[in-house]
Every structure is written in structure tokens, then in C-alpha cells.
Amino acid sequence: MSKFEIEIQGLPEVQDMLKDKSKEVAEKIGEAMEQVGAYMEGEVKASISGQRDEHRSVDTGRFMGSVKHSASPEEAVVFSDVEYASYLEEGTSRITGRGHFLNSLSRNESKIQEYVKDKVNEII
């Protein structure tokens, strides 16, 4: 019976390089999430102010001023902490929902994917 041995040289270096790349990818995705959050915050505010398809939802400006975003490497979140935000978004028995958040997301799905893709492509 014959015995063959194969020695792969440079394997530790390749493993180190892959670890470095995964760190870079995580950092770039984190940057992309921050960009996405800031962009989407602006899109929701544009929607609220009547610059998009939805009906304008500005009376005092409190709702629009309350829209903020937060980002982590895993996600970007756009939110409002005013108590009536969900009523304007989803509607009630007396008012039709405006869908500022959901519609802004739907309109910008490809743009969001582009942000992430562009950041990852910076590494490649």
C-alpha cells in the first residue's frame, strides 16, 4: 500500500488573512448600517413633511423632529418616540395610516442593498 502525504504551506497565514478580512467586512457593514440609518431617517422625514407619496403629517413638527436612527453592525433602526407615532403610521378608526416608515423602506430597498454592497466591494 502506498502512502501519500500532502503538506499545505502558508495555511496559518491564509487563516490570519481570512480573520482580518472578516473583521474588515464587519466594520464595513457597520459603516453601511450607519449610512442606511441616516439615509432612511431623512427619507422618513421627507415623507412626513409631504415630499413623498404619503400625506403630509406635520402640524407642530414634533413628530418629524422625533424621528431618529440608531445603527449597529447587525442593523439600522429608524424610530420615533412620540406616543402617537404608531397612530400616524398604522392609522386608527378615525384616520387612515400614513405609512411613512414602511413606505419609505419599500421605496428604498434597492438603495439600502446598494449601500451594503458598495461597502463590501471596498474590501474586495
Side-chain angles (χ1 to χ4, degrees):
M1 179 192 303
S2 299
K3 181 178 177 184
F4 293 94
E5 287 186 23
I6 298 174
E7 181 180 335
I8 300 174
Q9 296 182 356
L11 189 57
E13 291 82 3
V14 169
Q15 288 171 328
D16 288 344
M17 188 249 335
L18 290 173
K19 284 180 190 174
D20 289 343
K21 287 293 181 187
S22 68
K23 288 177 190 174
E24 271 186 81
V25 168
E27 287 173 12
K28 291 295 181 183
I29 290 175
E31 290 173 17
M33 291 297 101
E34 177 59 37
Q35 283 183 317
V36 165
Y39 176 77
M40 289 306 299
E41 178 183 326
E43 284 295 301
V44 170
K45 287 179 177 180
S47 174
I48 292 168
S49 68
Q51 299 174 30
R52 300 294 183 267
D53 292 339
E54 297 76 37
H55 287 83
R56 187 171 174 249
S57 293
V58 176
D59 185 15
T60 64
R62 183 171 171 230
F63 176 44
M64 188 167 61
S66 73
V67 175
K68 305 283 185 249
H69 78 277
S70 65
S72 70
E74 292 83 33
E75 66 182 359
V77 178
V78 180
F79 61 94
S80 169
D81 59 1
V82 296
E83 62 280 355
Y84 55 88
S86 63
Y87 303 137
L88 290 171
E89 180 70 13
E90 299 166 15
T92 68
S93 62
R94 295 182 178 194
I95 64 169
T96 303
R98 306 288 170 82
H100 298 297
F101 291 84
L102 188 58
N103 293 338
S104 294
L105 178 61
S106 292
R107 265 194 304 274
N108 289 286
E109 282 184 55
S110 62
K111 184 77 169 173
I112 292 167
Q113 291 171 355
E114 197 175 297
Y115 276 123
V116 176
K117 182 181 170 187
D118 288 348
K119 283 295 179 182
V120 172
N121 282 338
E122 288 179 16
I123 300 167
I124 297 174

